[in-house]
Amino acid sequence: MPLIRDGIPASPGIVVGPAYVLRWAVPRVPHVTVPPKSVPKEVARFHEARKWAQDRIREIQLQTAERLGPVEAQIFEPQILMLNDPDLVDGTVAYIEQNHLSAARAFELRMLEYQSEWSRSGHPMIMDRLNDLLDIELRVINRLTGLPDPDFTLSDADQRVILVAKDLTPTITVQLDRSRILGVATDAGTRTSHSAILARSLNLPAVVSLTDLSDRVQNGQELILDGRAGRVIVEPTERDKEVYRERDIKIREWEQELLLLAHLEAVTPDRQPVQLRANIDMPGEAETARVHGAQGVGLFRTEFLVVGRSAAPDEEEQYRAYRHVAEAFPHQAVFIRTYDLGGDKFPLFLHMPPEENPFLGWRAIRVCLDQPDLFRPQLRALLRATAHGDVRIMLPLVNEVRELQLTRELLEEEAHRLEEEGIPFNPGYKVGIMVETPAAALIAPELAQYADFFSIGTNDLVQYTLAVDRGNARLAPLYTPFHPGVIRLLKMTADAGRQAGIEVSVCGEAAANPLGVFLLLGLGITALSVGPSSLPEIKKVIRSVPLHEARRAVAEALELGTPDAVTEALTAGLGRWIDLSIFGGRWNLSPEQ
Ligand code: PEP
Ligand code: MG
């Protein structure tokens, strides 16, 4: 019997080939102390190694920019900044000066403290960044202990292999030689870790979170890796290989078809147009979104401006970023979300206090309203961007009318100032909210009186409704937008928006899931926003499903009492219009999986 391991699909593609198990680790450093007179020399050695590591990562960043583009190159920015972070640098120097530790040991200890603090947070976005720390550690410690910069080119592999490892860091991933590597399988990792993002950019099929695969596989054993379904089969039978070859052909045909869709309309067969927009995390992604056929940006997350930075960005820098995106879509709406900090995103400069339950804590609009010095420049930058396109201001995690009113007051004050200063903006600017909590969905009729639009954030709405952490892999089977409790809240929000005459869109992952699209269309939601890479697939679903059929199936599903019954009913309904085997029989629903 072949060994089968299911993990998280991180980058699509099916490959068959021999395993190459890559074992690597940051070298352990012995506990060495230095005589007091050598302390200044040790501090200087640390600074030299830190600068060297920074230069080396910058070099890799430049190569990445040339090879993959500026967005991917940005991934290395936090690592470079981190090596200047006063907490890290001063903390290491203090260990050398006060405890007379060798530079390598002092740095290792400081990194261990970071790692345990970050791991303790348990939050997906921070966990994703853990292997960024490994990258830094590996370089600085190798430099200090006289080891060469590691070579991950697999030059000893004599044929194309499937790389199996416990984990990969971003710099290891970009250095992998595509001519030698067919695909990647790792024990650790998440879909949103930097290594997974880079694997997708490199078109390298990948499955992550395979628990113990690297211990179970020997070099040279044959593997099938299915990056779309998230499965690895060790020593497959001839029959397995045949099944996967057929599946590969089917998927390639499907992908060819998707390529042709970019310039076709997002319209159902019964001629209901759907606004299909893109979610982006960085300004540079606006172009990718346009190329993939997005009709505007439904969610521009602005946290990239603050996370991992030691100072808040000024109004000018923000204005340039927002304007860039607005100008990429001159005739279409661009929804820019104000900072969604807290929860899983902590900027270094805010010194956010540790919280027992950060997702139920000081987060999003709560932080912004408490920190006018942070919020006002953002609102001013957003107002100024309204002069360059249809920019809509979107507030995250709103729970009460008051939060919207307070933000409107701040906006009015800033608009007044801009007017006095003669700085252009659109006085008819629009402000709306993300519906992400059950409370917001329940009072949607009241909120609709003050909001110009609703955008439903299903990633959070699902976690708050079901009390299921969106990043907890163990709870992944419970994390579903098809729970009757969730779909009823979605319906209430959609109905309230329709009655108030405002647009209701969905920008959570449910909109990027074929079954989710079927559900949302059936609830009468005809504005969706998804990651650029999901646009073709979602457009294909829209173009395949008659709206009245979705409505009929969803009306029936709304009567059902369990998540399984709802999922089954929707699957049966959608399965009449589209071949669902393409999706590998799995519905990848959790945003962090
Ligand atoms: C959501 O919660 O659905 C959403 C889109 O916001 P984020 O994933 O950034 O929390
Ligand atoms: Mg959210």
Side-chain angles (χ1 to χ4, degrees), residues 32 34 37-48 96 100-105 144:
V32 174
V34 295
K37 67 172 185 353
S38 305
V39 162
K41 202 175 114 219
E42 225 32 39
V43 171
R45 270 181 14 91
F46 165 59
H47 286 308
E48 190 279 335
I96 304 174
H100 300 176
L101 294 179
S102 70
R105 181 66 178 147
L144 285 170

Side-chain angles (χ1 to χ4, degrees), residues 125 279 281 299 301 303 337 340 344-345 359 363 394 396-397 434-436 455-464 470 479 506-510 529 591-592:
M125 195 156 157
N279 291 351
D281 295 318
L299 166 64
R301 294 181 171 99
E303 293 77 55
R337 181 175 76 182
D340 184 1
D344 56 1
K345 304 163 196 120
F359 270 115
R363 185 184 167 192
M394 180 151 83
L397 209 76
M434 290 193 67
V435 175
E436 300 185 276
S455 181
I456 308 177
T458 50
N459 303 342
D460 277 314
L461 184 63
V462 172
Q463 86 163 341
Y464 291 131
R470 57 192 265 182
Y479 182 96
V506 171
C507 62
E509 280 299 305
S529 190
E592 263 75 48

Side-chain angles (χ1 to χ4, degrees), residues 336-483:
I336 306 183
R337 181 175 76 182
T338 57
Y339 296 137
D340 184 1
L341 302 174
D344 56 1
K345 304 163 196 120
F346 306 96
L348 298 170
F349 60 83
L350 255 190
H351 302 294
M352 301 185 80
E355 294 178 307
E356 284 288 321
N357 288 305
F359 270 115
L360 303 180
W362 197 47
R363 185 184 167 192
I365 191 70
R366 303 169 189 173
V367 174
C368 285
L369 288 173
D370 282 354
Q371 301 278 321
D373 290 350
L374 179 72
F375 201 23
R376 281 183 187 270
Q378 181 170 46
L379 296 178
R380 264 177 77 95
L382 286 167
L383 284 170
R384 289 173 59 192
T386 63
H388 304 282
D390 182 2
V391 168
R392 307 192 186 174
I393 302 168
M394 180 151 83
L395 313 178
L397 209 76
V398 168
N399 237 356
E400 292 188 40
V401 166
R402 192 179 53 89
E403 291 158 332
L404 185 50
Q405 282 170 325
L406 285 173
T407 308
R408 280 200 183 272
E409 280 166 24
L410 291 175
L411 276 165
E412 274 161 32
E413 284 171 24
E414 292 307 330
H416 185 67
R417 286 202 188 118
L418 288 173
E419 213 170 307
E420 281 181 351
E421 291 163 34
I423 300 176
F425 68 98
N426 177 356
Y429 59 85
K430 292 199 166 65
V431 190
I433 63 160
M434 290 193 67
V435 175
E436 300 185 276
T437 66
L442 289 162
I443 61 160
E446 284 79 5
L447 288 164
Q449 291 171 32
Y450 300 88
D452 295 320
F453 59 85
F454 285 159
S455 181
I456 308 177
T458 50
N459 303 342
D460 277 314
L461 184 63
V462 172
Q463 86 163 341
Y464 291 131
T465 306
L466 304 179
V468 171
D469 183 340
R470 57 192 265 182
N472 187 332
R474 170 177 277 192
L475 299 181
L478 299 182
Y479 182 96
T480 167
F482 308 124
H483 188 292

